[in-house]
Amino acid sequence: MKFSNDFIFGGATAAYQCEGATKEDGKGLVCWDVYYKETDGYNPDPASDFYHKYKEDIDNCVKFGINGIRVSIAWTRIFPKGYGEINELGVKHYHELFKYAIENGVEPLVTLHHFDTPYELNKNGDFTNREVQNYFIEYAKFCLNEFSEVTHWATFNEIWPWSVNQYITGTFPPGEKYQYNKTVECIHGMLYSHAVVVNYFKDNNIEGEIGVIHSLESHYPYDEDDPSSVEAAKRVDAIANGLELEASFEGSYREKTLTRVNYILETNGFERFEPDYSDLQEMKKACKRVDFLGINSYSAHWHKNYEGENYHHHNGTGDRGTFKSALKGMSEEIKPEGLPRTDWDWIIYPQGLYDMIMRVSEYENCKKIYITENGMGIKEELNENNTAEDDQRIDYVKDHLEVVLKANENGANVKGYYLWSLMDMFSWSNGYNKRYGFFFVDFDNQKRYPKKSAYWFKNLSETKELK
């Protein structure tokens, strides 16, 4: 089983999770800066100190056959308040980062928003607020024009997780729970903003390609013979996947999707969602112009009907078996016995990724797919040889790459795979105890050490053959 010669073997990062330097060189306040302080949470300084050590990390890419890197621009490094005055030091930094990557043959795929809304804008409703949407659009336009060396752009990373974790599970700032109306408004606001940016990119003939990165994980009924379980899985899929895919590739929302989303809203006492006609016109114009879809996928989910009150407990510690989610109007999530899972209760099920690739490939406007995040979080320590024997990760990646090849054989067009993550990084709700990287980072001294998986991936990228 071989990959094409132009297949991208990449590693993924996100600015807030790897850069550190949160108060350096004029960077403005991000919603997480305040959230962690108020909740006595984690400290994102120094994270992986990518702000200062990006050259070393890109050099590691070159040494280990990694020819693509996902990075995001920190909005508040460019506009410290989210709008208004431009921070030239931030602009200079990203020019230097992109230049070094490109000169070394490591193609950057640059995301404009990766979970790091400026604090004041997040406090004012995030993407539920049209003013915040407009500030993002202006920031995006600036970046698209300023960083002309970049030819691969993504508007957003994971619209559903950003929205649900802000307003339903409460694990992201501002930490609100069970506000289903705000979740749907945020999803729609981001999808509309995405459309405006795509249309600006195409109307102005900016060189390169632009797309969006969605978290797309398959949702199945726990009991396929139980109609209520089947419907519960479809309701979750409607809000988690349906809204995002339909807006991105059809420029509208299907009637069945809106019916299920409005059932969730009304069951929780909120008004129905009725999208604005002018927003849909913008989305309709953009849906044929998206150059690629990024799929982030780690797990799959099983559901049964649930008619009780809302309850959600996030496993942020890696204590297996502590996850619990039962959401009113949606479902109770069940972890089937007999399927492997991580310490964080994430089911390992590569078939879920295959099913999703084949599903999105049916959209006429889905031209090309990248797997922009996939990987396995593990609690790891360096051994006596200054490496980590991460055979679990190798097996996980191999199994998921097998279904990518299978999907391509069956008509899909997946052109790249970016492991989450390039090196170990700071995790939003897990701090530093959950490691995903090809490279082990000693967070005390910021030294990098290649893991066994890095050598395995190097051989794969050189031979293009999955063994």
Side-chain angles (χ1 to χ4, degrees), residues 7 24 29 66 71 85 98 100 102 119 154 195 198-199 232 261 269 296 339 373 396 403 414 426 440:
F7 192 88
E24 287 187 38
L29 203 62
I66 297 165
V71 297
E85 186 177 350
F98 301 147
Y100 194 79
I102 293 166
Y119 169 66
V198 167
N199 287 329
V261 169
N296 290 359
L339 291 177
E373 286 184 28
Y396 178 100
V403 303
V414 183
F426 170 78
F440 186 98

Side-chain angles (χ1 to χ4, degrees), residues 63-83:
K63 292 175 189 175
F64 286 86
I66 297 165
N67 62 357
I69 184 171
R70 263 198 72 201
V71 297
S72 68
I73 294 174
W75 186 347
T76 60
R77 285 206 194 278
I78 307 298
F79 292 95
K81 293 182 179 179
Y83 58 90

Side-chain angles (χ1 to χ4, degrees), residues 327-344:
L327 299 177
K328 188 176 180 179
M330 290 179 63
S331 77
E332 180 179 0
E333 186 167 344
I334 306 296
K335 304 291 184 181
E337 294 297 325
L339 291 177
R341 68 176 74 177
T342 72
D343 288 338
W344 282 264

Side-chain angles (χ1 to χ4, degrees), residues 166-171 175-180 311-313:
Q166 284 190 89
Y167 298 120
I168 293 180
T169 68
T171 53
E176 299 182 18
K177 300 192 80 169
Y178 316 129
Q179 301 300 306
Y180 293 85
Y311 179 82
H312 181 86
H313 177 75

Side-chain angles (χ1 to χ4, degrees), residues 320-364:
R320 190 177 297 185
T322 59
F323 169 85
K324 172 75 174 176
S325 184
L327 299 177
K328 188 176 180 179
M330 290 179 63
S331 77
E332 180 179 0
E333 186 167 344
I334 306 296
K335 304 291 184 181
E337 294 297 325
L339 291 177
R341 68 176 74 177
T342 72
D343 288 338
W344 282 264
D345 292 321
W346 294 16
I347 296 288
I348 300 171
Y349 191 70
Q351 182 67 33
L353 175 59
Y354 176 82
D355 291 345
M356 185 56 68
I357 293 172
M358 300 312 296
R359 171 182 171 181
V360 301
S361 296
E362 293 178 3
Y363 284 95
E364 181 181 353

Side-chain angles (χ1 to χ4, degrees), residues 3 6 118-119 154 160 240 267 286 299 302 315 362 381 392 408 436-437:
F3 292 92
D6 61 349
Y119 169 66
W160 161 244
T267 301
S299 186
W302 283 259
N315 175 1
E362 293 178 3
E381 294 181 0
Q392 295 175 75
N408 279 349
Y436 279 94

Side-chain angles (χ1 to χ4, degrees), residues 210-238:
I210 191 165
V212 63
I213 294 167
H214 289 314
S215 169
L216 297 170
E217 297 187 331
S218 294
H219 296 273
Y220 305 101
Y222 181 66
D223 182 355
E224 293 181 353
D225 297 322
D226 174 16
S228 67
S229 286
V230 172
E231 181 58 25
K234 288 181 177 179
R235 282 197 298 268
V236 178
D237 183 82

Side-chain angles (χ1 to χ4, degrees), residues 31 81 83 117-133 135 166-167 174 176 182:
C31 55
K81 293 182 179 179
Y83 58 90
T117 304
Y119 169 66
E120 290 292 340
L121 304 189
N122 178 256
K123 189 174 72 172
N124 291 332
D126 206 80
F127 284 87
T128 69
N129 184 334
R130 182 51 57 96
E131 184 179 52
V132 173
Q133 296 166 25
Y135 285 143
Q166 284 190 89
Y167 298 120
E176 299 182 18
K182 291 184 180 180

